[in-house]
Amino acid sequence: MAIAMQPGYAAGFSSLFGRIQKEAGDTLTLPEGMANIGGNGHGFLLSKQTGFDPLADNDGTITEADVGAMLGTDVYIYAVTPTSGGYADWIASKNSTVPMGHDTNDSRKIGGFHIGRVRPMEKRYDASFEPAVHIVPNSCWDLQHRPKCDPSGMVEIIPSVLWADIYLNSEGAGTWPENVPVSRYDATPIKDDSYARADFHQLIANAGKRVPSVPEFLRYAEGCPQGADSNNDTAWSDDSNSGPTSTGTVAKALSQYNIVDAAGNLWDWLDAHYDAARTTSNSRGFRDDVVDVGKDSDKSRGKTHTFNDAGNSGRVEGNEGQSGWRSFGGGGRFDDGVRCGARCLDSTPNPWSSNGDVGLRGVCDAL
C-alpha cells in the first residue's frame, strides 16, 4: 500500500527558496522554505526573515554587546519547533550541535556564518585600509549553499564552485593519522616541523578538504596588500621576524575574499608537483630518504623514482644526487618582507622538507 505524505514530513528533508545572506548592519535575510525537524512526521514551514539580528535572536550563548567583540566566532542558525502553529522559529547559537535548551528532536541546523575582518572589493590592495569586524558576507551558508565539508571558518571564493579556509589551519581534535585540522582565529598555525610537507595531503583530507592548486591560491589571495621589510603592518613579514605568529594577528593581512594571512606568516602549501631536474639531467634513481620523512617516517613506504641533479645515470638504487621533485608555496613567509604578496609564488620547495616555514590551508568544492 502506497503512503502519501508531504515532503517536509520525511526525515532529513529540507528545501529553501533562496539562501542565507548578510544584509545591512550585520543582519541577515533568512529564506522561506520547509524543513523536517526531528524525524518522520515532523515537517515545518520556514518563514522568510529580513533584518534577522543574531545578537538579539539567539539562545543565550551570544552575550557580547556588539559583533566587533566576536572576532573569530562561528555562529549557527537553527530552526526550532514552535510552541504552536506550523511555522518553525529561527534562532542563532554559538553551539555547533544544538542550540542551548534544545536537542535534535526539536531543532535543525539550517545554516551559519563567520564573524571576522572584512575587506570590501573596492579596498583591495589598499595598505591604508583598516578592516573592520563584521559578519563575513561570503561566509554565509545554508543546507543548500555550502561546501561539501564542515563550513565553519570558510568563505566562498568562486560562487557555487569553491570554498577556502579563512585561516591557516591549526590543530583540532584527534591524533595522527586521524587528527582533524581547523580554520580558527588566534590559533597556533600548523607548520612543517613535526610534519613533513608531504604529510599535508593526508592531514587536510581528514577535514574533508584538499590542498589548494596554484590558480586557487592566486584567486583567494587576490587583493591582500604586499608585505614590508621593516614592519608587520600589512603582513607578518618583517625581515627581523624569527618565526610565524598566531592566525589573524595582522588585521590588514586580508584578501578581497576575506582570506587571512594569504601573504606572510607561513607559505601556503600548494598542490603542484613537477621534476625540476628533468630538463637538466638524465640521472635518475630510486630514493627512500625523500619518502621516510615526517609522520610515520619509521614505516616502510617504498621509494620514489625521480630525476636527480647529480649522480649516476640510469636506473640506480640509492640516494645519489639531489632529487628534482618540487612543489609550490604561495604568499611568502614570516621574514620575506616586501616579497610577500598575492602573486608571490615559490617553485623550489621540496615536499619532503620540514623547515618550519610552510603552513596548511584547505579548499573544498561546493555542494
Side-chain angles (χ1 to χ4, degrees), residues 262-280:
N265 206 4
L266 288 168
W267 289 99
D268 282 27
W269 186 241
L270 305 180
D271 186 18
H273 298 268
Y274 70 101
D275 199 330
R278 179 64 183 92
T279 59
T280 60

Side-chain angles (χ1 to χ4, degrees), residues 164-315:
D165 286 332
I166 296 172
Y167 306 101
L168 289 168
N169 278 205
S170 52
E171 292 286 4
T175 57
W176 179 265
E178 298 178 311
N179 47 325
V180 179
V182 293
S183 170
R184 188 169 293 161
Y185 169 72
D186 195 27
T188 300
I190 291 168
K191 58 185 179 180
D192 59 327
D193 44 15
S194 62
Y195 294 100
R197 300 160 187 173
D199 292 324
F200 283 167
H201 74 281
Q202 164 76 14
L203 184 60
I204 201 66
N206 291 342
K209 305 170 187 177
R210 57 180 171 80
V211 176
S213 68
V214 170
E216 287 166 350
F217 165 79
L218 292 173
R219 170 73 174 187
Y220 67 66
E222 197 74 40
C224 62
Q226 179 176 290
D229 286 338
S230 58
N231 63 65
N232 294 308
D233 182 53
T234 55
W236 187 258
S237 65
D238 189 322
D239 56 17
S240 67
N241 289 335
S242 59
T245 187
S246 298
T247 57
T249 295
V250 180
K252 293 180 182 179
L254 190 68
S255 79
Q256 67 192 35
Y257 296 105
N258 303 313
I259 298 288
V260 172
D261 294 332
N265 206 4
L266 288 168
W267 289 99
D268 282 27
W269 186 241
L270 305 180
D271 186 18
H273 298 268
Y274 70 101
D275 199 330
R278 179 64 183 92
T279 59
T280 60
S281 172
N282 284 323
S283 171
R284 61 190 185 275
F286 283 96
R287 301 173 59 96
D288 56 14
D289 61 332
V290 300
V291 172
D292 296 335
V293 293
K295 301 294 186 180
D296 292 331
S297 60
D298 59 334
K299 306 294 191 297
S300 296
R301 294 181 287 185
K303 298 185 179 184
T304 184
H305 191 220
T306 182
F307 285 88
N308 299 318
D309 294 333
N312 299 325
S313 61
R315 189 181 174 90

Side-chain angles (χ1 to χ4, degrees), residues 311-324:
N312 299 325
S313 61
R315 189 181 174 90
V316 297
E317 189 80 21
N319 296 325
E320 296 84 355
Q322 173 65 42
S323 173

Side-chain angles (χ1 to χ4, degrees), residues 17 31 69 73 84 99 101 106 130 146 154 164 184 191 202 207 228 246 263 272 302:
F17 187 64
T73 302
S84 63
D106 65 358
E130 296 280 353
R146 52 167 292 173
M154 301 192 79
R184 188 169 293 161
K191 58 185 179 180
Q202 164 76 14
S246 298

Side-chain angles (χ1 to χ4, degrees), residues 321-340:
Q322 173 65 42
S323 173
W325 182 18
R326 297 289 186 271
S327 293
F328 275 81
R333 74 173 197 176
F334 45 83
D335 61 353
D336 278 334
V338 296
R339 290 160 289 281
C340 296

Side-chain angles (χ1 to χ4, degrees), residues 53-88:
D53 183 355
L55 270 65
D57 300 315
N58 71 82
D59 61 352
T61 59
I62 301 173
T63 58
E64 290 83 355
D66 59 74
V67 167
M70 299 176 66
L71 175 60
T73 302
D74 286 293
V75 178
Y76 305 92
I77 304 297
Y78 291 88
V80 297
T81 56
T83 53
S84 63
Y87 282 89

